Amino acid sequence: MSDSQSRDWIGTSIPRRDGPDKVWGRAIYPQDRPLPTGCLHAATVRAPVACARIEGVDVTPALSLPGVVRVLTANDVAGSNRFGLIEPDQPVLVDTHIAGPSDVVALVVGTNEREAREGARRVRLSLANGTPLVDPERSLDPDAPHVQPGRKGLNGHPNLLAERVVARGDVSAAMRAAAVVVEGVYRSGRVEHAFLAPEAGIATPDDDGGLTLYTATQWPTVDIQQAATALGEPVDRLRMVQDTVGGAFGGREDTSLQILLLLAARITGAPVRMVWDRAESIRGHGKRHPFRIRHRLGLDETGQILAMEADVLIDAGCYASTSSQLLDNALVHLCGPYEVPNVSLHGRAVLTNNAFTCAFRGFGVNQVAFAVEQQMNKAAVELELSPSEIRKRNLVRGPAVLGGGSRLDSEGGLFATLQMATDAAERRPLPRSDDTVAYGRGMAVAVKNIGFGFGFDDSSTAEVTLDGDGAIVCVGAAEVGQGSETMLIQIAASVLGLDPDVVRVEWRDTRLAPDAGASSASRQTVASGNAVLGACERVLRGVNDAGGLENLPGACASARFTWRFPATTAFDQRPALHLSAFGWATCVADVAVDRSTGAVTVLRVVNAVDAGRVVNPALVRGQIEGGIVMGQGYALQERFYEDAGMPMTLGFESCGVPTALDAAPIIEALVVEVPEAIGPFGARGVGEIVMIPVVPAISAAIHAASGAWVDEIPALPDRVRAAIETRSE
Amino acid sequence: MLKPPTETIAFTLNGRPVTVEADPTTTAVDLIRYACGLTGTKDGCGVGECGACTVLVEGAPTLSCLMLAAELIGQHVTTIESMDDDRIGRMRDAFLAESALQCGFCTPGVILAASRIAAGASADEIRSALVGNVCRCTGYASIVRAVQRAHAGDLDRTEDPRPQESR
């Protein structure tokens, strides 16, 4: 790949390219962009309830304010007025029915932010309130209200979004033959992404009749496509410029204020700015999916898995978003990284009037990993095997088929992560438990896909231009904080034999940077890394063919390359090649449980992750450390309370976002480097896998300390105390 | 419409005297960001829960979203754009050296709060001092290392690489 004279930058912690701007406070996030001349300000009128029919919208009290310019309602939307990543079921501005708390009924545009907000308060809604459907277990009842009136639904159920079945072998016979059958019901709640920068943006009319939107997102191309359809705009008249993205974690995968801003700029003919406050940010974007999983695991007396049987119910909330694909992903991972000969899985995603759910670091795998790993840890206790021994007897070895489906060629560094994490953990003994505090250690393993899979044409395109001064890499891969910009610079510098200082990545402007797909599914290292690698190789070939850069017109070489993930198949197609790459990890956690209060403190987390060949060790370490603490939050303290579908936890503290004092004082980020077959230089994406084993490892540690299994996350103190008391009764 | 009353707010910002006419209900974070144009100070929650708006008032880390602009009158205010505060400068270098940032939105507030942690503080003391600054990306581990690194004093100071006028 890189020629013999070039310096290989792969495996070096070059400084983050965005670092200086960020430590000097110079990075421009959407809320920092200077106001264009004549800029107007928008404010939303949000649904005051989660379920209602709209009988009237009176905008006159708002228009009577001198600073209010326009009040936009559904009648002002020229296109379909609908958007959504998989199916367009979400209204830009609600026309007839409010389905959930994120709905926007009107948009007030004013000469300043204060006037726009005051105008929004004055818009009067006449609503016929319905009874919100908030319990997913009731969603498919024959008399359940329809969350989206008029929706056809699936299999005769208007609230059924997706249903999937996996069946292989003979589960009944295997369960009868099993020496041990472990049964459990596992629950997990909604979780807020809590990225630090709330949604913000400015849309401006261009001289050529188009519109430019300055904002922060995970996938600009698809935001623009959705906006074009919803607003009836030709897609080529819409341009997006990415300002610095203040965190995402999946919460910026669905569009939020993008379409509203473009609508307001089109109708007023003026630049329009909108900045959401924290409470509106939490109301306005999706949440992690709550799961209820009934799981049965059958093993023989040696600890060999014979069968798994599971029923999954996902509360998708009020809109489809990507929930149907998340269900597919969850089912494929529902048997964990284990060989399971007999499988019977059933999963449904249902609509409720609760907050809609969307991608969130792990995409459905976190919830099923919690269930499966807890089951395996329970089985280990019952069979008196160590947690690592029961796993060694069952971990998948490629080529194989994951229990829930999908062929995999290799188990990567799975066994190595298990060994490394358990060895590292043993180097520090646990403190001795006493009457008040009990200490325990727990472990878990995890697998997580890289790339979207399931038949989606998943690609990234890069265009590289090399001249005597250096190289410009145009690729629309959203730098959301994960470090993709720096990683891509390292790949380009290595292939082209340049110093990273003379390589620049243009990722922000859709007019300049080709579509790289989303910064989602841990995919940019593999997808855009390969696209950049391929484009750089083409550039080098062009230079070689010409006998040197100086022989090319303008002493400049340019090439474009599109890299595609290997073809995958849809969930129900055979043979099942749902996913083409995976990440692997093992986590060991040490906790202290206060016997009287049930409060859990995480003392230490060891997390060993197969990162393939590491491009930038400091960036990978940052992902592992950040994933550990996000996992701690999910396991122990992050909650999202709703009342009649309306969110009640509208701040960092009430959502339980971890602080520096919640983070484990000892965090050991370990890396295994087994090259990924399809990764550039063998690299793997690690953005999600780093978090997934943390939750079940902490849960196992709580059991090891207290003897209680807490089968619902977050394991808040009252839940832990109740589990301890139930056990001692 | 009545013209809202304004108040004259004179204070020292990063060593320079500034005078701004502002609505007395303006918050300090809005005054700094919009009237003074220093957008390095972030507004992450508006209610004092995240610490992204941290500035130094008379050298003390302060949540500017919980302050009225008028409370700045006569005060010395330091923001992330400050060029002559040695402790902030050392902290910037350490954050870069330890890769203690990802999305970067919390970073200005974290650096300002961290810059006033006494040298020799233990890891636990550092984490306690930063409990009001939420970071969703890093897991705080690299931030603690960066503060320790700044205190170790082994880094060469770097200058702001950009010319003055673009700041």
Side-chain angles (χ1 to χ4, degrees):
Chain A
M1 302 199 179
S2 52
D3 73 63
S4 55
Q5 275 140 40
S6 71
R7 165 133 187 229
D8 187 356
W9 297 96
I10 306 302
T12 61
S13 293
I14 73 164
R16 292 184 68 103
R17 178 58 56 91
D18 52 356
D21 277 347
K22 286 177 174 175
V23 301
W24 280 91
R26 268 189 327 239
I28 298 295
Y29 300 81
Q31 35 278 89
D32 304 332
R33 179 164 283 279
L35 265 54
T37 310
C39 190
L40 301 174
H41 300 260
T44 59
V45 179
R46 294 254 168 203
V49 293
C51 173
R53 193 177 70 246
I54 295 184
E55 301 194 321
V57 180
D58 183 6
V59 303
T60 47
L63 285 172
S64 71
L65 286 175
V68 169
V69 175
R70 284 291 299 252
V71 181
L72 306 174
T73 63
N75 293 333
D76 296 298
V77 184
S80 68
N81 190 24
R82 288 291 184 282
F83 65 96
L85 280 168
I86 290 181
E87 57 171 297
D89 65 340
Q90 209 162 340
V92 179
L93 292 169
V94 176
D95 31 28
T96 54
H97 281 89
I98 290 168
S102 57
D103 277 343
V104 180
V105 181
L107 188 72
V108 178
V109 185
T111 51
N112 63 55
E113 193 174 342
R114 198 175 286 198
E115 286 284 287
R117 284 181 187 269
E118 180 56 29
R121 271 189 288 275
R122 294 191 182 194
V123 171
R124 286 200 204 110
L125 307 181
S126 305
L127 303 176
N129 287 354
T131 306
L133 173 64
V134 297
D135 180 0
E137 303 279 357
R138 281 210 53 233
S139 187
L140 302 181
D141 287 357
D143 61 344
H146 299 187
V147 172
Q148 294 182 17
R151 185 189 178 90
K152 213 164 138 258
L154 197 65
N155 305 341
H157 291 291
N159 295 332
L160 181 58
L161 197 58
E163 181 163 26
R164 293 298 196 187
V165 170
V166 175
R168 201 168 58 246
D170 185 343
V171 168
S172 310
M175 289 291 185
R176 278 196 303 275
V180 170
V181 176
V182 181
E183 299 193 36
V185 181
Y186 301 93
R187 296 175 199 280
S188 53
R190 272 188 176 64
V191 185
E192 158 61 21
H193 302 80
F195 42 70
L196 258 283
E199 289 85 347
I202 297 176
T204 62
D206 298 332
D207 294 341
D208 63 0
L211 296 167
T212 296
L213 176 62
Y214 300 88
T215 189
T217 180
Q218 289 177 244
W219 196 356
T221 314
V222 161
D223 282 357
I224 285 176
Q225 285 165 2
Q226 293 184 73
T229 308
L231 300 179
E233 294 273 349
V235 72
D236 58 7
R237 284 210 304 189
L238 303 180
R239 167 187 175 216
M240 187 183 286
V241 177
Q242 286 260 54
D243 287 325
T244 301
V245 185
F249 311 114
R252 297 189 207 265
E253 192 176 278
D254 297 66
T255 87
S256 54
L257 45 57
Q258 290 88 323
I259 306 178
L260 292 169
L261 280 170
L262 290 165
L263 171 70
R266 172 59 77 210
I267 287 185
T268 61
V272 181
R273 177 183 197 253
M274 181 157 55
V275 179
W276 288 357
D277 64 18
R278 178 57 52 184
E280 182 161 26
S281 172
I282 293 175
R283 265 185 81 174
H285 62 249
K287 297 287 163 283
R288 191 186 287 287
H289 295 70
F291 274 47
R292 186 270 291 142
I293 303 174
R294 295 184 209 287
H295 200 282
R296 294 178 79 216
L297 163 66
L299 310 96
D300 70 14
E301 62 286 351
T302 70
Q304 197 82 39
I305 297 173
L306 299 177
M308 283 193 194
E309 184 178 12
D311 180 77
V312 177
L313 184 70
I314 300 175
D315 175 4
C318 54
Y319 292 111
S321 180
T322 46
S323 293
S324 59
Q325 196 185 351
L326 181 134
L327 173 65
D328 291 354
N329 214 45
L331 283 210
V332 166
H333 291 82
L334 190 46
C335 298
Y338 302 111
E339 303 265 11
V340 187
N342 300 286
V343 176
S344 174
L345 311 175
H346 176 222
R348 288 169 299 175
V350 299
L351 294 171
T352 63
N353 292 107
N354 298 320
F356 81 95
T357 50
C358 66
F360 189 162
R361 200 179 206 172
F363 204 63
V365 180
N366 316 59
Q367 294 93 328
V368 301
F370 168 57
V372 174
E373 291 302 291
Q374 188 97 320
Q375 288 281 87
M376 290 298 285
N377 284 322
K378 288 178 182 178
V381 170
E382 204 152 328
L383 287 158
E384 296 180 344
L385 290 170
S386 77
S388 67
E389 184 52 37
I390 195 170
R391 288 180 169 83
K392 281 178 191 160
R393 294 183 187 184
N394 289 287
L395 287 177
V396 72
R397 288 170 206 270
V401 174
L402 276 184
S406 199
R407 195 189 73 190
L408 61 91
D409 296 326
S410 158
E411 77 283 6
L414 176 58
F415 286 86
T417 67
L418 179 69
Q419 197 64 49
M420 189 181 271
T422 47
D423 287 352
E426 281 165 15
R427 276 178 220 129
R428 270 175 206 260
L430 273 175
R432 195 178 297 275
S433 299
D434 57 33
D435 289 347
T436 55
V437 181
Y439 298 94
R441 173 171 291 169
M443 74 163 302
V445 296
V447 55
K448 165 71 180 63
N449 62 297
I450 295 167
F452 291 129
F454 298 103
F456 185 80
D457 181 14
D458 193 357
S459 70
S460 172
T461 300
E463 193 170 278
V464 172
T465 302
L466 174 73
D467 65 19
D469 296 329
I472 297 175
V473 176
C474 293
V475 56
E479 166 64 70
V480 297
Q482 84 281 41
S484 58
E485 182 182 24
T486 305
M487 174 272 296
L488 294 171
I489 287 170
Q490 286 177 260
I491 288 178
S494 297
V495 180
L496 296 173
L498 295 173
D499 190 283
D501 287 347
V502 299
V503 179
R504 189 168 73 76
V505 172
E506 168 54 58
W507 58 273
R508 297 176 183 271
D509 187 339
T510 54
R511 288 275 160 87
L512 302 173
D515 185 13
S519 288
S520 301
S522 308
R523 61 181 288 290
Q524 289 296 12
T525 297
V526 172
S528 293
N530 273 316
V532 169
L533 190 155
C536 289
E537 287 180 338
R538 279 192 182 172
V539 163
L540 284 187
R541 271 203 299 279
V543 172
N544 285 340
D545 291 350
L549 193 60
E550 63 281 7
N551 299 328
L552 287 163
C556 172
S558 188
R560 196 177 169 99
F561 184 78
T562 297
W563 186 85
R564 297 195 136 71
F565 275 92
T568 54
T569 58
F571 187 86
D572 42 11
Q573 275 183 293
R574 292 292 173 270
L577 302 165
H578 299 136
L579 301 158
S580 49
F582 297 90
W584 313 92
T586 301
C587 180
V588 179
D590 293 352
V591 306
V593 179
D594 184 312
R595 294 183 197 272
S596 58
T597 65
V600 177
T601 308
V602 182
L603 306 173
R604 176 183 178 222
V605 179
V606 177
N607 200 7
V609 176
D610 179 8
R613 188 165 173 211
V614 172
V615 177
N616 185 312
L619 294 179
V620 169
R621 184 180 191 184
Q623 287 300 304
I624 298 175
E625 291 173 343
I628 286 172
V629 175
M630 197 177 269
Q632 277 187 246
Y634 190 29
L636 295 176
Q637 65 186 72
E638 290 189 46
R639 63 254 161 179
F640 191 74
Y641 295 139
E642 295 160 295
D643 180 21
M646 300 302 285
M648 309 301 287
T649 42
L650 293 172
F652 285 106
E653 287 189 22
S654 55
C655 286
V657 176
T659 69
L661 283 178
D662 296 315
I666 303 173
I667 285 176
E668 295 174 41
L670 307 176
V671 171
V672 168
E673 296 189 77
V674 174
E676 164 54 48
I678 64 167
F681 299 98
R684 245 178 248 276
V686 297
E688 296 165 291
I689 185 67
V690 294
M691 177 180 176
I692 293 166
V694 179
V695 175
I698 289 172
S699 197
I702 294 172
H703 173 265
S706 69
W709 294 109
V710 184
D711 291 339
E712 179 167 7
I713 49 171
L716 298 166
D718 57 329
R719 286 181 184 150
V720 176
R721 202 179 53 217
I724 292 172
E725 284 166 3
T726 307
R727 187 184 159 266
S728 54
E729 270 164 13
Chain B
M1 188 171 58
L2 282 172
K3 196 170 179 307
T6 63
E7 192 164 2
T8 304
I9 296 169
F11 63 109
T12 306
L13 181 57
N14 297 331
R16 289 183 206 165
V18 293
T19 303
V20 183
E21 294 294 321
D23 175 334
T25 64
T26 304
T27 57
V29 64
D30 280 352
L31 189 91
I32 291 164
R33 285 176 52 78
Y34 298 115
C36 305
L38 297 186
T39 55
T41 303
K42 305 300 180 192
D43 183 352
C45 72
V47 292
E49 292 188 349
C50 77
C53 67
T54 303
V55 298
L56 304 181
V57 178
E58 298 296 328
T62 304
L63 298 174
S64 63
C65 77
L66 295 184
M67 271 185 110
L68 287 173
E71 292 178 80
L72 298 178
I73 293 171
Q75 304 283 307
H76 288 81
V77 178
T78 308
T79 69
I80 192 65
E81 290 89 350
S82 167
M83 290 189 291
D84 51 12
D85 186 297
D86 198 44
R87 282 187 281 178
I88 295 172
R90 279 201 299 268
M91 208 51 74
R92 280 192 197 103
D93 295 338
F95 271 62
L96 293 175
E98 293 295 330
S99 201
L101 61 124
Q102 290 181 31
C103 91
F105 199 80
C106 75
T107 306
V110 172
I111 286 179
L112 288 173
S115 73
R116 265 48 193 176
I117 296 173
S122 68
D124 282 349
E125 287 164 345
I126 293 167
R127 296 193 306 132
S128 294
L130 296 176
V131 72
N133 293 82
V134 173
C135 173
R136 190 58 157 167
C137 299
T138 63
Y140 306 101
S142 56
I143 291 174
V144 173
R145 287 196 297 273
V147 176
Q148 292 170 326
R149 186 81 183 267
H151 291 170
D154 65 330
L155 290 165
D156 291 335
R157 286 295 311 280
T158 56
E159 296 304 315
D160 183 2
R162 280 205 199 167
Q164 181 85 35
E165 53 269 30
S166 73
R167 276 173 210 150

